[in-house]
Amino acid sequence: MNPVTLSALEIVRPGDAGYDAARPAWNLAIDQRPAAVAIPRDADQVVAAVLYAKHEGLRVAAQGTGHNASPLGDLSDTLLVKTHEMRGVEIDASNRVARVEAGALWGDVVAPAGEHGLAALAGSSHDVGVVGYSLGGGISFLARRYGLSADRVLAAEIVTADGELVRADRSQNQDLFWALRGGGGAFGVVTAMEIELLDLPTVYAGAAFFEIERAAEALHAWRELTQRVDECTTSVGRILRVPPFEEIPEPFRGREFAMIEIIHIGDQRSGDDVVQAIRDLEPEIDTYGLIPSSALIHLHMDPPGPVPGKGEHHVAMETLPAAAIDAFVAANGAGSGSHILTAEIRHVGGAIARRDAGRGAAHLDAEYISFAASIAATPELAAKADHDLAQLDAALEPFGGARRYLNFTEVKSDATAFYEPTTLARLRAIKAQMDPENIFRSNQPLD
Ligand SMILES: Cc1cc2nc3c(=O)[nH]c(=O)nc-3n(C[C@H](O)[C@H](O)[C@H](O)COP(=O)(O)OP(=O)(O)OC[C@H]3O[C@@H](n4cnc5c(N)ncnc54)[C@H](O)[C@@H]3O)c2cc1C
């Protein structure tokens, strides 16, 4: 059987040539097998995909990259709309706006924006999707000063359950616009977003690397630093086990580090002041300095492409007592037996946690948030990852709050974990009005 062509829209079903090439997610550990996959090339083809699904009695799930594919679950009744062929990006430098198509990656935005001295609230990874990340909130390395990516969304174009392409912004479809800024992907298939860019040609940023045996010393110093800095500084305390891959340069390859990543909006002098307490500890390597904002996307050294991973583990914390650092190191430091690839605590709060008027549904009422991920390339590695990640979760859980962060959650969770009751009630009301037959499936349903 050949792929069905519907107004030039490519749709493949199980048994079609191309089905196996079309269905994988970025997270290669997820074996998603949808009823069909649509690969639209423009907004009209997204309309065609939604109408096709309705005609065939299928539900619809949009997917940009599949970074967060694991909570989706069984897709045997679902048309998976994969937007990776829609990666257009236009930068309107004079108005500081990026217009991105549904499948654009952060790497597609930060480089052309950077050519104009503009910065975006990108995530740590070049190949996370702008739309999926922003629908779920979006914590960047500039977050304490500028808030969530969702807060900088100026407009979204979306194909609704009626198969109509509508625009939502501050003057039209305002409820939908509010919901799309943090409420996730349950309202339709977003075809494009307009995002505010920042006039920020350079930032002071980098990382200090310590031998893993010095993790407690480095992370305690970082914790104290987070209690002194203002919102111009966002930072991360981390333990990283660098894989032994040939392409990784020698000083890092196969090594285990404690790392302190610091991002400071300011000049060389104020940045040097902020990092001094970490430099005083004489790390093995330190890359702190003034860099183009567009280079921030490389700071975290995330994987260059798809990997089989387990990453559902995070804890949002209102405070970070010294005992939390001790617990983090005991569960994942030297001698713990842990093989976790990366475990980090991000200092958030600041503009993220404020309740400014005019914001959307996204809100993260936490000062710190942990995230950990491990490789799950084989069943044995997956079992070891589950064990290690559960051990770390158990260590941090006593310090955690009730709320979870949508984008860092990779297991299906109750929607009450992500939103306050009034926010969730409003999201559910908008969903019921926009999509009464519940055609659209997001990774984390609102019901
Ligand atoms: C290596 C790595 C680094 C990360 N770094 C960060 C970080 O720094 N900060 C942060 O906040 N998060 C980060 N994340 C989490 C990331 O933000 C989430 O996984 C996010 O959901 C990814 O969006 P995506 O579009 O790439 O993934 P997808 O799995 O494609 O999409 C996730 C969900 O978004 C919705 N969606 C996507 N596209 C559309 C669309 N066109 N229309 C409607 N709904 C849509 C769907 O509900 C979909 O299930 C990271 C994840 C990984 C694996």
Side-chain angles (χ1 to χ4, degrees), residues 250-338:
E250 187 60 67
F252 302 104
R253 189 190 312 147
R255 302 267 317 273
E256 299 181 326
F257 293 104
M259 279 174 77
I260 311 298
E261 299 170 350
I262 297 179
I263 305 91
H264 170 73
I265 299 157
D267 57 18
Q268 180 81 35
R269 201 158 157 194
S270 60
D272 282 343
D273 284 347
V274 167
V275 306
Q276 192 57 50
I278 303 300
R279 278 196 168 139
D280 286 347
L281 300 179
E282 299 184 356
E284 184 178 331
I285 302 164
D286 138 23
T287 66
Y288 299 131
L290 213 55
I291 59 168
S293 304
S294 55
L296 265 185
I297 201 93
H298 307 298
L299 172 67
H300 209 55
M301 302 185 301
D302 277 346
V307 291
K310 293 252 179 194
E312 63 262 29
H313 297 262
H314 77 279
V315 178
M317 296 171 270
E318 280 170 26
T319 58
L320 187 70
I325 297 291
D326 291 337
F328 183 74
V329 174
N332 187 42
S336 64
S338 168

Side-chain angles (χ1 to χ4, degrees), residues 183-438:
F187 303 93
V189 181
V190 173
T191 58
M193 269 186 177
E194 290 169 17
I195 294 187
E196 183 186 346
L197 300 172
L198 308 163
D199 186 7
L200 192 68
T202 58
V203 287
Y204 183 99
F209 295 76
F210 297 86
E211 288 168 354
I212 194 171
E213 287 74 16
R214 297 185 66 195
E217 180 191 4
L219 290 168
H220 277 295
W222 165 74
R223 184 188 82 90
E224 286 161 21
L225 181 147
T226 63
Q227 294 174 341
R228 291 194 294 274
V229 293
D230 67 14
E231 292 179 7
C232 287
T233 300
T234 299
S235 59
V236 182
R238 184 179 186 197
I239 292 177
L240 174 69
R241 293 183 171 83
V242 184
F245 300 148
E246 287 270 305
E247 58 272 25
I248 297 173
E250 187 60 67
F252 302 104
R253 189 190 312 147
R255 302 267 317 273
E256 299 181 326
F257 293 104
M259 279 174 77
I260 311 298
E261 299 170 350
I262 297 179
I263 305 91
H264 170 73
I265 299 157
D267 57 18
Q268 180 81 35
R269 201 158 157 194
S270 60
D272 282 343
D273 284 347
V274 167
V275 306
Q276 192 57 50
I278 303 300
R279 278 196 168 139
D280 286 347
L281 300 179
E282 299 184 356
E284 184 178 331
I285 302 164
D286 138 23
T287 66
Y288 299 131
L290 213 55
I291 59 168
S293 304
S294 55
L296 265 185
I297 201 93
H298 307 298
L299 172 67
H300 209 55
M301 302 185 301
D302 277 346
V307 291
K310 293 252 179 194
E312 63 262 29
H313 297 262
H314 77 279
V315 178
M317 296 171 270
E318 280 170 26
T319 58
L320 187 70
I325 297 291
D326 291 337
F328 183 74
V329 174
N332 187 42
S336 64
S338 168
H339 290 180
I340 292 174
L341 178 71
T342 175
E344 67 192 50
I345 303 176
R346 292 192 190 191
H347 185 205
V348 284
I352 294 183
R354 275 201 299 275
R355 290 166 193 280
D356 299 341
R359 292 174 76 157
H363 180 247
L364 184 66
D365 202 2
E367 282 294 313
Y368 298 87
I369 188 164
S370 72
F371 181 76
S374 234
I375 297 292
T378 63
E380 293 73 27
L381 286 174
K384 173 68 175 148
D386 282 338
H387 170 271
D388 293 348
L389 291 163
Q391 182 170 289
L392 182 60
D393 273 359
L396 289 180
E397 212 61 69
F399 308 99
R403 207 65 72 208
R404 293 179 69 78
Y405 171 48
L406 186 61
N407 279 359
F408 281 178
T409 303
E410 296 189 14
V411 284
K412 182 147 294 191
S413 301
D414 194 289
T416 53
F418 303 120
Y419 305 103
E420 290 162 4
T422 48
T423 303
L424 182 56
R426 187 173 171 195
L427 286 170
R428 283 174 171 164
I430 296 167
K431 167 76 174 173
Q433 198 213 334
M434 298 279 315
D435 182 16
E437 289 169 37
N438 198 14

